[in-house]
Structures are given as C-alpha cells and as structure tokens.
Amino acid sequence: MTRDDIIAGLAEILEEVAGVNPDDVAEEKSFTDELDVDSLSMVEVVVAAEEKFGVKIPDNEVQNLKTVGDAVSYIESNA
Amino acid sequence: MPTTDVVVTGLGATTPLGGDVAATWDAMLAGRSGVSALTQEWAAQLPVRIAAQLAVEPSEKIDRVKMRRLDRSEAIALIAAHEAWADAGLVDAGLDTERLAVSIGSGIGGAQTLLAQDDILEASGPRKVSPHTVPMLMPNGPAAWVGLELGAKAGVHSVASACATGAEAISLGLDIIRSGRADVVVAGGTEAVVHQLPIAGFASMRAMSVRNDEPEKASRPWDKARDGFVLGEGAGIVVLERADHAIARGARIYARLAGAGITSDGYDIVQPHPEGLGATRAIAKALADAGVAKTDIVHVNAHATSTPVGDMAEIASLRAAVGDHPVLTGTKSMTGHLLGAAGAVESIATILAIRDGVIPPTINLDDPEDGLLDVAAHKARHLEIPAALNNSFGFGGHNVALIFTRP
C-alpha cells in the first residue's frame, strides 16, 4: 500500500466520521486545527483506521498523530 | 403590563403533526391524527404496534455528520430551539448571552442511543462503542446542545419529571427570569423513545392503547372506549423573556406566562390520586401565582392522555379548582403522548389558541364520559380567551399547571 492509498483511505474515514472534504486531506494538514476534527471524532477516526488498515493504534500513540502525514507514517510502518 | 412580567416571544416545535409550529398548528385545527402503524421490524412482537411518529425526520434538517453525534431527542430539541430562536427575532440580535439561560428536559432521555450502543457493545466489544455515547444519552444533553449552539451562559438546566417535564421546564424558566438570573430563557421539552423497550415497558404497565387496527382512533381522551395512551415523539420549545426586555427590543409578544403551580401527590409512583387532589392544588397555586380569577380561565389544554383513570381524575380537579365553565381541549388525541415534550407542545397550542381565538378539537370523542366538562369534540371552536390553563401530570406524582394570558 502506497502513502497515497493510505491518504485516500483516511480521507474516506474522515468524510464519513467528521464530514471532511476529501480534497482537503493532505499530508501536512493537522487533524484538529486544519481539518476541524474534534477529540471525540478523532477517536472514531482511529478505531475506523485500525479496522481499515489492520493496525493497532494504542491510545498513547494517538496524541503523536497530529497531522495526516503522521498517521500515514504510523500506519505504513505498523500495518 | 408590569415590567417584571414574563412573556413568550418565540415558538418552535417538531411533532407528529408537522415539522414546525405552523404545520403542527394547522394540523391540530384541522383535527388530524398523527398516529400510525409501526412498520419497524421490531414492532411485530409487541402488543402495541402504533405510535405518533415525527411528521418530518430530523435528518431532513440536520446534516448527516452532525446527526452521528446527536441522540434523536437532542436533534429535535435543536430543530425546535432554532425555530423558536428565529421566531423570536433573536438571530443576529446581539443578545447578551450572559443573560441567556436554557431549561429543556426530557422524560426518559437518550434511550435510543443507550439501546443501540449496548447492542454494539454486545456484538462488537467496547472499542466499537461510539465516543459520542455519553453526550448522546445523558439527560441534560438536549439542554446542553441548545445552550452550546445559542451560546447561553446564564445556566443550562434539565428538568426530568416524566410527562410533566415540558411544563415544569417552562415553569423553571419563569422562575429564572423572575429571580433576575436571566432576561431570556429558551425552555421546553423533547422526547424520542419510539423504540421497542420503552413501548414494551409501558405496555407491560397496561398503560397503552392496543387499538392496533385503528391507529388514528387509538388516542381518545374522555371517550368511554378509551384504552390507554399512544406513545409519541417530538419537541416543543418556547422563548420566555422579561416583558420590559421584549418591549425594549420591539419583539412580538404572543402571550404572557402569568403563573405556574407545582405540586406532588405523595400517593403512588404511577397512579394519580383518584380524586386528583394533587392536580387540584397545582391549579389553585397557579391561579394564585398568576393573580388570575378562576372565572377568567375560559380554556384548558388538559393533560388528558386517554387513560381510563387519569382523564376523569383531571376533570375532578378542574371542577374543584376552576369550576364547570372552561372549554377543554385534549390535543393528545392528535399528537399522541409526547411524554417529556407534551407540556411544551401543549403550551404552544395554548398560546396559539389565545392568539388566534380558536381552540383545537379533541378528536375521537364519540361517546363522552358522563359528567364531563364542555369539550370541543371533533371540530375546532372559536373562543375569545383572556386566560388559559395548561395542565401536565407525570409518573411519580408530578403536577404542573401553567397559566397563559393575553399580552
């Protein structure tokens, strides 16, 4: 799976859970500041991402996933 | 009008009769029933397979993503609150939100969320339970969401007094303004528990109509053939305002909320006192609080759920507290019983009856009980109303009487 595939998968989740426009989803975007994902919706994103990409994202990792790129890197190296 | 008076400047509702106040009121005056057969799969196993479901789905007014984090009772409270807020002319009015409070309750709360998330927990485990679960099922959720969206900073309150909730929330709004804690209170009730567990529970109490083959005829207050209430869902919200505040901003005033009376029966957890003593005292207290003579009450929007005992106990109370002269309406004949929203939606009907000089009919009253007061059966009736009484009672022995007058 390429980084672009992961971004596309995350964009799908973000649209479903938080109504984020898929066109806005890019590596440098911050989930909370730029994509407006609130803390509870972020939990939903993480759970959906675990399922979609077959990874475990422990709660203490979530706080390090500030940008879409952070999440892509985590998924890439743990999937 | 003394400047400390409390007036109603905005109305909002979504009910089984319509998606807003105007549609609801039109349907009421036309005597339409909002009761229909339940077509959900789960209904097949229930002894009661009818309910008064919303005329307009909340998803038509609230986007999909936002609906994911709202219980149905919260979504409809928001819809009604925004309608009331706009109706009061408060959108972009620059209201001081430190003088704005909210008082919105529900009888049961976010039961649909609780049940759905419990199903998810059982089937898929705790990690799949939505992180929105708690704010969706907490009973203060509807008030909290309305407070959040309107920016209310003078306090967000949630009353829970079963079927008296909507009326008690409005009476709390009256208290808040009178005590000087806010200038404006967004007040009312919401309920959305048309679901198999609440229906099974009420049905087990033998409190509900089982007229499954004739849904539109099932809710029939004061009719000899009544066999229980019909569960409904909906929300009703009013904007209450200190009179001088409303006058200063040139607001349209629907009616004055002249007074309220609250008592408890101290008798039984579900049965009203058979002679309606608690209700009689509530009405008497409301009259005294409002400074309104009993002879001025020409219209009563009665609680009248269509249960065999409750309807006539209320008549006994009215006779004792007000006398024989008022004309009665049982709007639950059309809306079904909106539980925590009932007192709020019925307050709106009472206010509009005062404004328009017309009272909605009580439908299905084909064979009236003996000894009944004057009821506008089948057809709306024109009536000049200087003052009207709205009664609400609830499991637990809650009695709330509200008196509205012409502004």
Side-chain angles (χ1 to χ4, degrees):
Chain A
M1 201 170 2
T2 67
R3 289 183 78 87
D4 280 351
D5 292 338
I6 298 173
I7 291 173
L10 284 172
E12 226 171 86
I13 292 169
L14 286 162
E15 185 183 24
E16 167 67 21
V17 167
V20 176
N21 182 343
D23 295 343
D24 293 344
V25 179
E27 293 231 11
E28 69 281 7
K29 292 286 177 73
S30 134
F31 288 108
T32 51
D33 298 338
E34 288 167 278
L35 298 178
D36 245 354
V37 182
D38 64 41
S39 60
L40 296 185
S41 299
M42 195 61 205
V43 178
E44 287 190 281
V45 170
V46 167
V47 172
E50 286 185 333
E51 185 152 295
K52 191 173 203 106
F53 301 110
V55 291
K56 274 312 272 172
I57 309 177
D59 289 342
N60 58 8
E61 270 305 324
V62 174
Q63 56 194 357
N64 300 326
L65 308 181
K66 302 239 190 291
T67 65
V68 174
D70 295 341
V72 173
S73 299
Y74 184 88
I75 292 163
E76 204 177 33
S77 47
N78 291 279
Chain B
M1 186 155 45
T3 53
T4 51
D5 275 5
V6 174
V7 295
V8 180
T9 56
L11 305 176
T14 182
T15 74
L17 297 176
D20 55 23
V21 168
T24 298
W25 185 232
D26 285 352
M28 268 187 194
L29 293 182
R32 272 208 290 282
S33 168
V35 183
S36 59
L38 288 166
T39 54
Q40 292 87 334
E41 204 175 304
W42 48 253
Q45 61 157 338
L46 297 173
V48 172
R49 296 182 295 278
I50 52 174
Q53 299 175 88
L54 289 172
V56 175
E57 277 298 306
S59 57
E60 290 186 27
K61 298 196 178 174
I62 294 180
D63 75 55
R64 179 192 62 80
V65 171
K66 196 166 160 188
M67 282 298 288
R68 287 172 60 92
R69 57 196 69 177
L70 294 172
D71 182 75
R72 191 172 171 88
S73 64
E74 296 174 333
I76 60 178
L78 279 172
I79 289 167
H82 282 294
E83 184 191 356
W85 191 247
D87 186 49
L90 286 166
V91 178
D92 302 325
L95 188 77
D96 176 4
T97 51
E98 292 192 12
R99 302 286 302 157
L100 169 65
V102 172
S103 170
I104 296 173
S106 133
I108 295 183
Q112 300 218 39
T113 294
L114 176 68
L115 293 163
Q117 293 300 322
D118 186 58
D119 287 346
I120 289 170
L121 174 65
E122 295 298 330
S124 310
R127 203 153 166 84
K128 286 296 170 65
V129 170
S130 168
H132 302 291
T133 300
V134 173
M136 287 170 78
L137 67 80
M138 62 193 195
N140 59 316
W145 271 109
V146 170
L148 186 66
E149 295 213 348
L150 301 180
K153 295 186 179 66
V156 166
H157 307 261
S158 294
V159 166
S161 50
C163 308
T165 295
E168 185 166 343
I170 290 172
S171 87
L172 175 59
L174 177 70
D175 293 344
I176 290 169
I177 295 175
R178 281 176 172 173
S179 67
R181 306 202 307 270
D183 299 325
V184 176
V185 181
V186 176
T190 184
E191 201 80 65
V193 292
V194 177
H195 189 284
Q196 59 177 340
L197 181 67
I199 292 176
F202 283 123
S204 288
M205 299 171 86
R206 309 290 188 267
M208 297 180 94
S209 171
V210 290
R211 201 180 285 260
N212 293 314
D213 300 331
E214 294 182 301
E216 298 191 348
K217 295 186 176 166
S219 188
R220 41 196 318 116
W222 304 302
D223 188 87
K224 279 181 181 159
R226 68 195 184 283
D227 67 333
F229 77 87
V230 175
L231 181 63
E233 55 178 357
I237 304 285
V238 299
V239 174
L240 303 175
E241 193 163 349
R242 215 179 60 238
D244 61 343
H245 188 273
I247 291 164
R249 70 179 185 91
R252 179 235 2 249
I253 294 172
Y254 281 100
R256 193 172 146 248
L257 174 53
I262 298 184
T263 65
S264 46
D265 278 357
Y267 173 77
D268 186 271
I269 193 68
V270 291
Q271 300 286 339
H273 189 281
E275 292 157 56
L277 295 185
T280 305
R281 287 188 298 113
I283 297 165
K285 279 175 184 285
L287 286 166
D289 184 46
V292 165
K294 56 175 88 168
T295 47
D296 288 338
I297 302 287
V298 303
H299 172 52
V300 178
N301 197 313
H303 186 64
T305 61
S306 174
T307 53
V309 179
D311 291 6
M312 290 313 283
E314 183 175 15
I315 295 296
S317 313
L318 285 167
R319 192 164 261 132
V322 188
D324 283 337
H325 67 277
V327 186
L328 271 50
T329 300
T331 45
K332 289 186 183 78
S333 62
M334 299 171 284
T335 61
H337 193 346
L338 307 181
L339 308 186
V345 169
E346 286 156 28
S347 287
I348 291 170
T350 309
I351 291 160
L352 292 175
I354 291 172
R355 182 195 68 175
D356 293 351
V358 59
I359 65 169
T362 301
I363 65 170
N364 299 322
L365 183 53
D366 298 324
D367 184 11
E369 280 280 6
D370 303 326
L372 189 58
L373 301 181
D374 185 7
V375 177
H378 305 303
K379 276 193 153 53
R381 193 189 295 181
H382 290 273
L383 194 68
E384 282 300 304
I385 306 170
L389 168 67
N390 178 28
N391 278 342
S392 290
F393 313 123
F395 285 169
H398 305 276
N399 307 297
V400 181
L402 300 176
I403 291 176
F404 295 95
T405 64
R406 269 198 219 117

